[in-house]
Amino acid sequence: MRVILVACGASKVDHVAPARDLYTGSLTRAAMAYADASGCSWYIVSALHQLVEPATLVQPYAMALTQLDRNERRWWARQVAGRVLALHPGAVIELHA
């Protein structure tokens, strides 16, 4: 089983929207289209919300992983990895960032 993770982007709509519609950057949109067409489970990895399902409603926000210190980034990575592995044990993870 393969799970695709798509990195969020800084460009967003200015209103609450499903995560799949919130991010408007061309690279993020292209990665989401690829993930959608793959037939695999896929998620968006968000600096603020960690692992986000595409249909989850998300309020626009301004946060990037670069704003986190080393320990915060490690905590973030453990949260994302732990959730993916809990939802999809043994899955091969494909990251588009």
Side-chain angles (χ1 to χ4, degrees), residues 67-83:
Q67 294 173 271
L68 304 179
D69 66 30
R70 177 186 288 182
N71 288 331
E72 291 169 326
R73 286 190 307 270
R74 286 181 179 159
W75 175 87
W76 179 92
R78 284 192 298 272
Q79 296 299 308
V80 171
R83 183 135 179 254

Side-chain angles (χ1 to χ4, degrees), residues 8-88:
C8 68
S11 299
K12 300 172 185 72
V13 297
D14 62 357
H15 56 276
V16 174
R20 71 170 56 239
D21 300 324
L22 182 72
Y23 305 98
T24 60
S26 59
L27 291 176
T28 302
R29 301 293 305 159
M32 287 191 291
Y34 167 83
D36 220 15
S38 74
C40 296
S41 294
W42 67 278
Y43 302 89
I44 298 162
V45 287
S46 160
L48 181 61
H49 302 291
Q50 294 88 42
L51 193 69
V52 182
E53 293 189 30
T56 300
L57 292 178
V58 179
Q59 178 81 22
Y61 62 93
M63 183 176 181
L65 285 175
T66 56
Q67 294 173 271
L68 304 179
D69 66 30
R70 177 186 288 182
N71 288 331
E72 291 169 326
R73 286 190 307 270
R74 286 181 179 159
W75 175 87
W76 179 92
R78 284 192 298 272
Q79 296 299 308
V80 171
R83 183 135 179 254
V84 170
L85 294 173
L87 292 168
H88 306 279

